[in-house]
Amino acid sequence: MHKIKNEINKAYRSVAEKMMGEMSESTFLTKGQLTPDEFVLAGDTLVDKCPTWSWEAGSESKRNPSLPDDKQFLIIHDVPSRMRAKDLIDEDKNQINEIEDEDGWVIAEQKEKTEIEDIDKEEIKKEEEDEIVDIDDECDSDDDDDDDNILAKKDDEDEKKEDDEDGVVRCRRYNISLTYDKYYATPRLWLQGYGEDKEPLDKQMFEDVMAEHAKKTVTLEKHTHIDGPKQATIHPCEHANVMKKMIDVMMENGKEPTVDSYMFIFLKFLSSVIPTIQYDYTTDIEL
Amino acid sequence: MKDFKSQPLEKRKSDSKKVLKKFPTKVPIICYKDHNSVLPSLEKDKYLIPKSLKVLEFEQIIRKKISLGEKEALAFFVNEKLMPKKDSTMDEVYAQNKDEDGFLYIVYMEENISG
């Protein structure tokens, strides 16, 4: 049902997009949206602060004329994803005991964490370092937490696989791109995943999406700028609303939200949809 | 939470000291629902969470407590304004954002990212 609705919506939108004039007036503060120019500005800031992101031109036939030819969409390559989203809430792996003390504190205790940590500390630590370097180095990150990545450690049954000859740890990797969605006037996030065997993933990508979003808001579709297999994309219909909410909070807190920070906030809130795809190396966002 | 913060600062300070001393491997968190949120409230607002726990894991604890369906998304705000990184440890979040009284304040609300 969802699928049919989706298809009809898609058809409607593509007609509407053609008929709609270009958005030129900024609705960033009032609606959480971006004009094409603002998309470019926000993207430039992202690339500037996090050079692992870059602009791309994409397929010539799919070009959006309201964006510069060489700035059609943003992309970051080979983002590691070491575990599946469902493992984050796997009862067996994440068992937490709770007790209540006489002062009304709820005390949470993790079970059997230390054991695993000890066994593989060295090995994982090395992997962690290898991994993070390429993403993190150039990114403005002030917390290179090379220590306790407990989730990764806990998942080490999957981790123990041999390294490739080139020393790169085998795990799923994602190319993440941000396109400009004309209809919703927001960025739209796309995922192209590769398995450990470097083969493109299709439906398996849903395993890296939190259950509350999988298939409902994340669908496989043809990328608007890249030819090739279908990619997973997060439906942008609520993006502007969420951004608007964030902008309101910032203003309530006496901050002046700027288009510059759009992509950072945007990526931050989307990381809750795909928490195991670890692109989130930007610093905490203060609203 | 209003109740919690309405206690005198000195009392809260000494409370946090006491609890930190008693539980050196935990961070003391005061967690409550944002006033705009339509989600259920938590029965308890005082939590002692292992330092090494990730924000995401803490989220799972709260999700369970308010019986959030697996289709619903939850957002956290530290001090009502900061979205912590999901893969930060609670210890990191605490160190950077704890209140002058020694507690870490976290509100939650629904996150309607998707249609």
Side-chain angles (χ1 to χ4, degrees):
Chain A
M1 190 55 208
H2 248 301
K3 199 164 178 192
I4 298 169
K5 213 173 100 194
N6 228 334
E7 286 303 316
I8 294 172
N9 276 339
K10 215 158 59 183
Y12 165 73
R13 282 198 308 274
S14 77
V15 174
E17 270 176 16
K18 287 193 183 96
M19 292 167 60
M20 269 182 352
E22 268 317 320
M23 221 175 93
S24 52
E25 202 104 326
S26 176
T27 49
F28 167 66
L29 290 176
T30 51
K31 291 187 179 160
Q33 296 175 322
L34 291 180
T35 64
D37 287 349
E38 287 172 330
F39 176 75
V40 173
L41 178 69
D44 281 344
T45 311
L46 178 68
V47 172
D48 185 46
K49 293 253 171 75
C50 284
T52 44
W53 284 91
S54 58
W55 283 109
E56 267 186 37
S59 168
E60 211 173 328
S61 58
K62 296 181 168 175
R63 223 153 255 183
N64 175 351
S66 41
L67 295 169
D69 284 354
D70 57 344
K71 292 184 178 177
Q72 292 282 309
F73 66 97
L74 294 149
I75 193 160
I76 182 170
H77 295 277
D78 295 331
V79 177
S81 173
R82 295 189 192 79
M83 63 189 293
R84 310 287 70 85
K86 69 175 168 37
D87 295 329
L88 288 174
I89 40 176
D90 189 325
E91 301 282 326
D92 296 332
K93 280 184 184 166
N94 267 319
Q95 277 214 33
I96 288 165
N97 272 343
E98 284 173 28
I99 43 169
E100 227 173 275
D101 80 350
E102 64 273 21
D103 297 325
W105 284 96
V106 178
I107 306 169
E109 198 72 65
Q110 246 173 329
K111 276 189 205 160
E112 295 166 35
K113 191 199 74 197
T114 39
E115 257 174 64
I116 299 168
E117 233 175 278
D118 288 343
I119 300 169
D120 267 334
K121 203 156 198 172
E122 285 307 301
E123 186 186 341
I124 304 292
K125 192 132 192 166
K126 185 180 150 289
E127 290 178 6
E128 287 292 308
E129 280 159 14
D130 290 350
E131 284 299 331
I132 290 173
V133 169
D134 46 348
I135 303 260
D136 207 18
D137 242 5
E138 299 115 299
C139 245
D140 265 356
S141 173
D142 59 359
D143 44 2
D144 300 12
D145 35 1
D146 53 310
D147 39 6
D148 21 32
N149 196 337
I150 289 148
L151 291 179
K153 275 170 204 162
K154 271 189 244 159
D155 201 36
D156 62 357
E157 300 99 287
D158 301 334
E159 291 263 350
K160 274 192 195 147
K161 284 157 193 151
E162 302 273 300
D163 289 2
D164 285 352
E165 307 88 65
D166 52 4
V168 176
V169 181
R170 280 200 234 159
C171 66
R172 283 191 182 184
R173 287 185 186 268
Y174 277 89
N175 294 340
I176 305 173
S177 53
L178 297 174
T179 58
Y180 181 70
D181 191 280
K182 267 201 266 183
Y183 183 79
Y184 291 103
T186 62
R188 177 180 191 136
L189 186 140
W190 300 81
L191 296 168
Q192 179 54 62
Y194 296 89
E196 291 175 7
D197 51 7
K198 304 204 167 107
E199 288 298 314
L201 302 173
D202 46 63
K203 287 199 180 106
Q204 302 107 299
M205 286 191 280
F206 289 123
E207 296 166 0
D208 294 316
V209 176
M210 290 303 276
E212 64 261 36
H213 302 289
K215 292 187 186 158
K216 189 173 100 184
T217 49
V218 180
T219 47
L220 290 178
E221 287 177 41
K222 284 262 174 220
H223 193 283
T224 48
H225 292 280
I226 304 171
D227 297 318
K230 285 187 174 176
Q231 301 201 4
T233 177
I234 301 176
H235 200 264
C237 59
E238 286 296 329
H239 288 356
N241 286 340
V242 180
M243 287 304 294
K244 167 70 178 142
K245 207 152 71 183
M246 307 269 174
I247 289 164
D248 288 347
V249 175
M250 284 172 96
M251 299 217 274
E252 264 176 45
N253 288 320
K255 291 228 164 77
E256 205 177 316
T258 60
V259 169
D260 280 76
S261 55
Y262 197 102
M263 295 304 180
F264 297 99
I265 301 171
F266 182 80
L267 286 170
K268 170 66 77 177
F269 81 70
L270 286 190
S271 75
S272 60
V273 181
I274 45 172
T276 57
I277 303 177
Q278 301 187 301
Y279 67 82
D280 185 12
Y281 289 103
T282 51
T283 53
D284 290 329
I285 300 288
E286 177 126 5
L287 295 184
Chain B
M1 167 272 169
K2 289 280 175 292
D3 302 342
F4 190 88
K5 254 218 157 144
S6 64
Q7 302 173 84
L9 176 62
E10 286 313 314
K11 170 157 190 335
R12 281 181 280 136
K13 267 187 182 168
S14 78
D15 282 356
S16 72
K17 252 187 217 137
K18 207 164 74 188
V19 81
L20 282 166
K21 199 174 164 200
K22 196 168 165 193
F23 301 98
T25 61
K26 305 279 201 290
V27 290
I29 295 169
I30 310 301
C31 185
Y32 54 95
K33 183 179 83 159
D34 181 81
H35 56 279
N36 291 321
S37 172
V38 297
L39 293 175
S41 297
L42 285 164
E43 214 172 289
K44 302 277 175 189
D45 56 7
K46 293 155 69 180
Y47 293 86
L48 287 165
I49 302 298
K51 286 182 168 178
S52 57
L53 220 64
K54 302 267 164 181
V55 171
L56 227 154
E57 293 170 300
F58 177 61
E59 187 183 311
Q60 295 311 325
I61 295 179
I62 300 302
R63 290 184 74 94
K64 237 187 261 170
K65 292 213 172 288
I66 57 172
S67 310
L68 202 61
E70 64 163 23
K71 289 220 160 104
E72 293 172 274
L74 189 71
F76 275 149
F77 291 90
V78 175
N79 296 330
E80 298 191 356
K81 60 180 181 186
L82 181 104
M83 295 176 81
K85 284 171 62 174
K86 298 256 175 182
D87 60 344
S88 299
T89 62
M90 296 310 288
D91 195 30
E92 288 163 355
V93 179
Y94 178 77
Q96 286 162 20
N97 305 290
K98 65 179 173 198
D99 191 87
E100 57 171 337
D101 63 16
F103 294 102
L104 179 69
Y105 292 86
I106 297 182
V107 298
Y108 64 91
M109 63 171 97
E110 61 280 0
E111 183 172 37
N112 201 2
I113 285 177
S114 33

